[in-house]
Amino acid sequence: MSSLLIRDATAADLPRVVELLQQMSLDEPRESPGPPLPRSYYDALAAIERDANHRLLVLCEGESVLATASFFVVPNISYGGRPHAIIENVVVDAAERGHGVGAALVRHCIELAREAGCTRLSLSTDARRADAHRFYERLGFVASHRGYRLKLA
């Protein structure tokens, strides 16, 4: 684990990031990995790079991207005007699960949230993902709220 590096994703990482995101699909495929990779992914990364409150992270071992996560700092009026953070799209390559890779990535996000002065770090995970629930609970997360989603597209 000492050779792991967490960094911001680059355009060169996008094909691998999309491949990882596709591993999260429980139903029909939700990503379009190409080739070629659709322009919309590059446009989304460019928007993320312009937003100081949003980061697309990758965890690498050498040149291999093993995991990814989106990290957001959300400006907030409550809690005395202190921000909160959200992590989304946390995915570790299926072959790497159970080796501490995901824990290292999430712990990094926890530290980023602390450094940003956030009051909390929130996430959501599909209700069908019992393994993910256990994973987050081992890291100290508590299932304290009920989430809802309205699918728009």
Side-chain angles (χ1 to χ4, degrees):
M1 291 257 303
S2 62
S3 64
L4 298 180
L5 170 70
I6 299 171
R7 60 173 173 76
D8 291 288
T10 66
D13 298 317
L14 279 180
R16 177 63 172 146
V17 168
V18 172
E19 179 185 328
L20 289 170
L21 292 172
Q22 184 54 46
Q23 290 184 23
M24 288 197 326
S25 179
L26 294 174
D27 302 316
E28 72 281 346
R30 65 182 209 181
E31 303 303 335
S32 301
L37 192 65
R39 182 82 213 151
S40 57
Y41 291 108
Y42 295 98
D43 293 343
L45 178 62
I48 290 167
E49 291 173 333
R50 288 190 303 271
D51 183 347
N53 291 320
H54 188 177
R55 296 176 70 184
L56 177 61
L57 301 171
V58 291
L59 182 146
C60 305
E61 184 172 45
E63 297 297 315
S64 299
V65 173
L66 306 180
T68 187
S70 291
F71 176 81
F72 310 83
V73 173
V74 181
N76 192 22
I77 297 299
S78 66
Y79 291 92
R82 289 181 58 206
H84 63 95
I86 299 171
I87 51 176
E88 285 285 332
N89 298 323
V90 177
V91 59
V92 175
D93 185 82
E96 300 298 330
R97 293 178 192 156
H99 298 110
V101 171
L105 183 56
V106 172
R107 285 187 181 111
H108 181 76
C109 290
I110 292 168
E111 284 309 307
L112 290 175
R114 284 190 176 119
E115 290 169 7
C118 294
T119 59
R120 66 192 175 279
L121 176 60
S122 302
L123 61 90
S124 64
T125 182
D126 194 294
R128 299 171 288 179
R129 294 187 177 280
D131 289 343
H133 304 161
R134 286 187 293 275
F135 167 75
Y136 290 119
E137 288 166 4
R138 279 194 306 270
L139 291 172
F141 288 83
V142 176
S144 62
H145 292 69
R146 186 174 196 165
Y148 292 89
R149 179 175 296 177
L150 175 63
K151 196 163 188 173
L152 300 175

